[in-house]
Amino acid sequence: MGQRFSKDEGYVQVVILGLEHAGKSSILYRLTYDLFMEAIPTSGFNHEKFCLQRGPGRGCKFAVWDASGSEASQTAWSTYSKAADVILFVVDSADCEKFNKAKDLLNTVLGAGDFPPHAVIMVLANKQDLTSAKKPEELFTLLRLKKLRKICIRGCSAKDGTGLDDIFTHLFLLFDHSRKLKRCKTVQVIE
Ligand SMILES: Nc1nc2c(ncn2[C@@H]2O[C@H](COP(=O)(O)OP(=O)(O)OP(=O)(O)O)[C@@H](O)[C@H]2O)c(=O)[nH]1
Ligand SMILES: [Mg+2]
């Protein structure tokens, strides 16, 4: 907790952003310990490292930074985005009153364009265990994601683990694809 942010060389750098209370730290706990713990609001960062043990991305290493969602902390987000290979933007799918705020915040993050061109942006529609939660497809429209480039959405629940067990494989495939696309573009320019 409260660590200084830095780029982890040799790792796919994943930055978790989103409003306070969206469930960012709960997702990190679920990924790290495979359990649900009552999280306390983050001050600074949580930082964990993972290595994919199986599947197409076997051996790929991920460094995950879970930021505080407080307004004071949001001012520093562009620093983290600059170093990000993957941005996970977490939304509380059951908190309809905050959807607009979440949309504006996501637009601010994306509009700043600080992240590298190969970066993958995934919205995690968290708290799918709650009956009031909007489905990822609904959130896709509500957050007006279709207007935004290179972005995908996935439903999940830190509480019961839904949508999180294969997240690193999924991220690896997206990241790999994104890097290859970038390489293709370079080849086309040279031709
Ligand atoms: N029902 C349900 N509750 C969740 C889920 N994920 C998180 N919560 C709850 O949501 C609240 C906020 O969770 P946190 O993980 O602390 O949220 P955060 O985004 O890290 O918040 P900040 O660190 O303040 O930015 C806690 O009470 C969690 O128990 C989920 O998938 N389902
Ligand atoms: Mg937190």
Side-chain angles (χ1 to χ4, degrees):
M1 299 254 183
Q3 270 178 282
R4 187 182 285 268
F5 181 85
S6 62
K7 174 94 180 149
D8 299 274
E9 295 304 329
Y11 286 76
V12 176
Q13 188 95 340
V14 181
V15 176
I16 313 184
L17 304 176
L19 287 171
E20 281 176 293
H21 222 257
K24 302 179 291 298
S25 302
S26 303
I27 287 172
L28 186 62
Y29 289 150
R30 169 62 69 185
L31 294 173
T32 310
Y33 306 110
D34 197 20
L35 49 82
F36 182 68
M37 293 192 274
E38 194 50 47
I40 51 163
T42 305
S43 115
F45 279 107
N46 296 309
H47 183 219
E48 298 288 347
K49 290 178 173 173
F50 300 88
C51 182
L52 254 180
Q53 299 297 332
R54 56 180 184 275
R58 189 161 175 247
C60 181
K61 296 188 288 181
F62 295 84
V64 183
W65 294 84
D66 156 39
S68 160
S70 71
E71 277 186 29
S73 303
Q74 287 169 23
T75 53
W77 282 7
S78 73
T79 311
Y80 321 143
S81 303
K82 271 181 202 150
D85 298 308
V86 175
I87 294 176
L88 287 179
F89 190 88
V90 181
V91 179
D92 179 342
S93 314
D95 195 349
C96 301
E97 288 183 2
K98 290 204 192 141
F99 288 165
N100 264 335
K101 211 171 164 191
K103 173 176 70 72
D104 291 345
L105 195 57
L106 181 58
N107 272 311
T108 305
V109 171
L110 299 180
D114 292 327
F115 44 86
H118 67 265
V120 169
I121 297 122
M122 180 188 278
V123 173
L124 283 179
N126 191 35
K127 309 199 186 181
Q128 290 296 317
D129 57 287
L130 298 175
T131 48
S132 56
K134 296 283 183 204
K135 296 276 165 260
E137 311 81 65
E138 292 175 273
L139 268 176
F140 191 86
T141 309
L142 287 166
L143 298 175
R144 312 224 182 108
L145 296 185
K146 60 184 163 208
K147 288 191 182 158
L148 305 172
R149 67 178 183 99
K150 222 159 112 182
I151 193 158
C152 59
I153 190 164
R154 182 182 174 106
C156 73
S157 164
K159 188 155 197 171
D160 62 21
T162 302
L164 294 172
D165 55 344
D166 63 343
I167 189 95
F168 287 117
T169 299
H170 198 71
L171 290 177
F172 167 79
L173 292 171
L174 286 171
F175 179 65
D176 199 44
H177 181 65
S178 177
R179 267 191 317 195
K180 282 178 183 150
L181 273 184
K182 202 177 152 245
R183 212 176 298 148
C184 281
K185 270 186 199 147
T186 313
V187 170
Q188 278 169 6
V189 172
I190 291 166
E191 281 173 356

